[in-house]
Amino acid sequence: MGARLRKLLSHRGLIGGLFLVVVVSVLYLPNLGSYAFWDPWEPHYSQVAQEMADHGSWMDTWYRGQNRWWSKPILPLWSLRLSFALFDVAGPDDPWLHFAGRFPFMLFALLGVLLTYRWVGRLYDRRAGFYSALVLATAPMYALLAHQIMFDMPFVALCAPAVGHYFLARTPQGKPADLVLFFVLTALAFLSKWLLALFIPAGILFAFLVLRWDMAFFRRVGLRTWLVSLGLLVAAGLGFGLSLGDWAFAGMLNLVLLAFLAVFWMGKDAAAENHFDARWLWIGMGAMLVIVVPWHAFMVGKHGLAFVREAVIYHHFDRAAGTIGKPEGSFDIYVKQLAFALFPWVSLLPAAIIRLLKWGPADMEGKGRRDLWVFLAAAVPYTVFSLFQTKFHHYIFPVVPFLAVIVGLYLARMHKNEDRAWMRLSLALSLPLAAILTMDLLHDYKWFIQLFDYYYGWPLPASVNPYPVLGTLGGAWILLLAGLFFCKRITSFVFAAMAVVAGMLVLYLGASVLPAVTNTFTQEPLYRAYLKASPNRDPIAQYNGWLSRSASFYFENQVRDLSMADQPNIDRAIEFLRQPRRTFMILGAGHGRDGKALLADLRPKVRKALGKSLYVVYDGHPFSLLVSTERDPAGVRRVKDKILTDLPPGIKRMNVDFGGKIELLGYKVEPEAVDAGSSFTISYFFRCKEALADDWLVFIHGDGPQGGSHRVFGDHAPLGGLHPTSEWQVGQIVQDDYVMEVPANYPYKGFTLWMGLWKGDRRLPVGKRHQHDGNDRVRSAYVKIK
């Protein structure tokens, strides 16, 4: 037993792998399940997995009671469903829900790190593999996606090593098992994100063959294979076209067949080049078909061409063409994404690419080809995704593992060879880039959140202050780079120090920042507020647009969707609210419509049609509200306390008339001086001069010396939506308190609060010209920043 243990401990590859398991676990597991599911992906995919379990299905993908959710392949859903079953998750109130949902994706991330360690270590050497795997594990985009239920992590964690093992299978150190592993990993990646698993490796091979002008590829694949392949394509194309009567669709189906054939050609080429027995090619291709075919055959057999059309056309070619209404942009979007995706390692990337591409004549052949493979594995997907018209930020994720490998290779080479000139070049290239990116992060940390989140315009909580930590880690990294000036090579100690800084960054982002900002990106608090306000589960609906798919998970399909074409519909809202009992509604920010604005627009129509009003129950989300046809007892008391008979002492008096309807009598701010990252309360005192039919909202703009630059917003409904202006009585004095947060990185010594009343695109006009700024904004308090 002792001899076996000593043998295991002497196996450096095994020890390196175990060390990576420990590192990834330490970095990714803390607080993994401590925060709610993020919009829009996590609750959406979790609901599909839960409904599959509810229907006892491992094959059909159910969503909202319908058996036709065909947005993505099955493998991540199987992992989700299995994890929920293992942790015995029964519903949205289960304490293990969020951990169970994210845990399999963290395991996929770990698998991707270990497979990177394997293929790079065998293609180059063990140190290069270890460095590359550790750079990947501590890359922010990789680490953050390991904390999210998104199909991108399983896909990339499988597809990138598949490509790497294909490189390995073509080299002298490659083995038949590497070729088989290429097919198996490609098949699993196909079950995670469909055709990209085939297009990416095929595109890399195509670029490689063109650069080397390797015409022998056609000979290695063989004339018989080409003739059979051509026959299959022609026969399939004619069969698809004649049977479907839709030649465009038939052409797309033929592209799918071509992609599978291309992967087969890749395998045959590798087997011929490395003189593998042909049986290994057929074992690999057979394993791929065994993995891919059964679920797809089931889906096509049960759902027919409707499934194929949605999967192939809508979720592939329409996305590439940008015809499905998703984000667009120019190439620089992905330049910025990759800069923060690999921060702080990205500062070494320019020197690493230069070193990698420092080719001689022999580098197109022999061992030099491996550097070309790795470079193309990053360059080809970057080019393709930049050409796509649909540009979600996380679409560039497949490039990240190979950029991490390029950095890892550079670090390993700079460890092996003493070269002061290259160390100085590293310093000259990396130090300015690290300083620039660190300064950008100290201005706004949103770049990390936008590596994976879809709602790019949603502001992060002002109270969250990651800047001291980001500044400390960025400064430590810059000092490490500066120290390279005195080094001839990158020692193990220097690399360890770099890895510690990068590891502390991703640990902080995953365990601290993500939980702290979650409230902005989830509908879960609305569910908790509803349970508290309605123990008997009164009827609830959502007037929520796109976000309806997020709320439906937590409410287990018990929340009625009042949208049509993802937009709120007034007729459906009136029909729902007509019920004689108390009802609830979620008013959300789907398709850019703020919950407060929706409430101000909806309430007068409800009052006119039904004689009812709507009152805010929960407004803790920046864009969404929970409202009800009745006030809670606490809300009744709050309204009663804030309707005054006279002004209290200590207020700054004003007499500003808004359209002859509302008069601003004065304001009070407490405290008058605050720290950045803290909050203060601004109280406005209004008198109702005339009965109002509209529900006006209060806007507050905290403007510093540069006007709207770094503006602090405080838009809200009076009294938190409990006492709308349409219910104010003539002569009534209303005290409206609102808590505002000062951003932690606010750059000025103070700001002025400009306020007014608005609804939609209108503002209530200020009566006297000298009392406003020309845009019906009234100057009120000045808040000092300590």
Side-chain angles (χ1 to χ4, degrees), residues 13-51:
L14 177 62
I15 296 301
L18 292 175
F19 182 80
L20 289 171
V21 170
V22 172
V23 168
V24 170
S25 300
V26 169
L27 295 181
Y28 293 1
L29 283 177
N31 286 340
L32 185 66
S34 66
Y35 50 96
F37 286 152
W38 281 44
D39 301 328
W41 321 114
E42 291 198 288
H44 185 57
Y45 300 146
S46 296
Q47 184 168 350
V48 177
Q50 285 281 56
E51 291 196 28

Side-chain angles (χ1 to χ4, degrees), residues 268-350:
K268 197 168 192 305
D269 183 37
E273 189 172 49
N274 242 2
H275 306 292
F276 295 152
D277 191 299
R279 66 190 175 93
W280 292 108
L281 169 66
W282 293 108
I283 288 173
M285 193 67 192
M288 181 177 183
L289 294 177
V290 167
I291 293 170
V292 167
V293 169
W295 180 72
H296 289 88
F298 171 84
M299 294 297 285
V300 173
K302 185 164 185 177
H303 303 286
L305 288 177
F307 165 75
V308 181
R309 284 182 182 275
E310 181 167 331
V312 173
I313 297 178
Y314 183 80
H315 291 293
H316 285 87
F317 297 102
D318 281 355
R319 286 182 185 270
T323 60
I324 60 175
K326 299 301 185 195
E328 298 181 3
S330 55
F331 77 98
D332 58 303
I333 289 177
Y334 288 147
V335 173
K336 180 185 294 185
Q337 283 297 101
L338 291 173
F340 294 108
L342 285 154
F343 183 84
W345 299 109
V346 70
S347 60
L348 299 169
L349 188 60

Side-chain angles (χ1 to χ4, degrees), residues 531-548:
L531 292 182
K532 182 178 179 181
S534 180
N536 297 324
R537 304 266 183 148
D538 293 303
I540 182 168
Q542 51 183 346
Y543 202 62
N544 211 12
W546 166 267
L547 290 179
S548 64

